Amino acid sequence: IPDNAKNILEVGCSEGLFCKAMQRPDREIWGIEMNPEAAQKATTSCTFVLAGDFNQVFDQLPKNHFDCVVFNDVLEHIYAPWETINMVKQVLKPTGVLVSSIPNFRYIANMITEVLWHGDFQYKPEGGILDDTHIRFFTSKSICRMFKEQGYEIITHEGIRPCKSWKEKLFINLTLGKLKDARFKQFATVARQVKL
């Protein structure tokens, strides 16, 4: 989150824990949350909270207003996330940024345990990369491509939550860099609109 961001929107803010972490006296924090009970709780951490999904409440958002729009583990739950990030440009200031955290389908534990070892692709109710509420799956390359195709330039794109197992690290090293992106469970991306 840029330090100079004053007006911030978190899409999928849940009960507002991340919003609370972003609070400062000089900031206006907005949240969007589909779960009505969680949205109600988020009102203690956000200046404004809209209950519903992004498309439902989009018309209630001020245009050209936000310095930063955040999607923490949300875009993979949306049917057409590329349309969503394209819409975000309307609510961002020209200098504003979109910040996202997206699970990495190529994460080494996912690839070895699920796909290679078990030869299966089974959704799980308890969360993780194969969470049964995930509609889209991404790799580092496909995340960057999605942003670029929707008129964004990538400011930063880095892996977060690296694997800890020495066996996984060894396997990645043996691929001579081919699977270096598989070390990370998620990718954090900061992107801004390409200026025309």
Side-chain angles (χ1 to χ4, degrees):
I1 307 300
D3 190 56
N4 63 351
K6 304 291 187 222
N7 300 326
I8 302 172
L9 167 65
E10 184 183 10
V11 180
C13 68
S14 187
E15 295 181 0
L17 294 178
F18 191 73
C19 292
K20 187 172 186 169
M22 294 187 293
Q23 281 181 341
R24 283 190 337 214
D26 62 335
R27 283 184 168 164
E28 178 183 279
I29 310 288
W30 288 61
I32 296 175
E33 175 52 44
M34 287 180 59
N35 180 305
E37 292 82 22
Q40 181 58 42
K41 290 180 181 176
T43 60
T44 62
S45 302
C46 301
T47 315
F48 301 100
V49 178
L50 300 173
D53 75 19
F54 181 80
N55 290 336
Q56 288 173 327
V57 301
F58 180 75
D59 290 336
Q60 299 174 52
L61 294 170
K63 305 307 181 259
N64 194 35
H65 181 74
F66 296 102
D67 301 300
C68 181
V69 176
V70 180
F71 288 87
N72 280 330
D73 301 313
V74 170
L75 290 171
E76 66 274 13
H77 296 271
I78 299 174
Y79 179 74
W82 44 87
E83 291 176 6
T84 300
I85 66 170
N86 191 37
M87 291 170 67
V88 165
K89 292 189 281 187
Q90 296 177 52
V91 299
L92 276 175
K93 292 178 181 175
T95 57
V97 296
L98 189 158
V99 176
S100 70
S101 168
I102 301 175
N104 177 21
F105 186 76
R106 259 173 69 109
Y107 180 56
I108 192 72
N110 186 55
M111 294 305 293
I112 289 177
T113 306
E114 300 296 332
V115 180
L116 295 176
W117 187 256
H118 294 293
D120 198 1
F121 185 90
Q122 189 170 2
Y123 291 99
K124 299 177 180 347
E126 69 272 4
I129 294 170
L130 297 177
D131 184 278
D132 60 7
T133 63
H134 289 181
I135 297 171
R136 299 290 177 190
F137 295 95
F138 293 91
T139 64
S140 177
K141 284 182 181 178
S142 65
I143 293 167
C144 292
R145 183 174 58 248
M146 175 176 69
F147 280 107
K148 289 175 183 173
E149 287 178 350
Q150 296 308 315
Y152 286 89
E153 64 176 314
I154 307 290
I155 300 168
T156 60
H157 178 74
E158 55 190 55
I160 55 176
R161 299 183 64 202
C163 65
K164 294 185 169 77
S165 162
W166 68 269
K167 293 176 187 174
E168 292 170 346
K169 290 178 186 175
L170 176 63
F171 183 81
I172 290 168
N173 288 336
L174 291 174
T175 66
L176 303 174
K178 281 280 191 191
L179 289 177
K180 64 182 179 187
D181 61 314
R183 183 170 174 241
F184 302 102
K185 195 168 190 175
Q186 293 167 281
F187 279 91
T189 308
V190 179
R192 68 176 160 226
Q193 301 175 64
V194 174
K195 293 183 174 73
L196 301 175

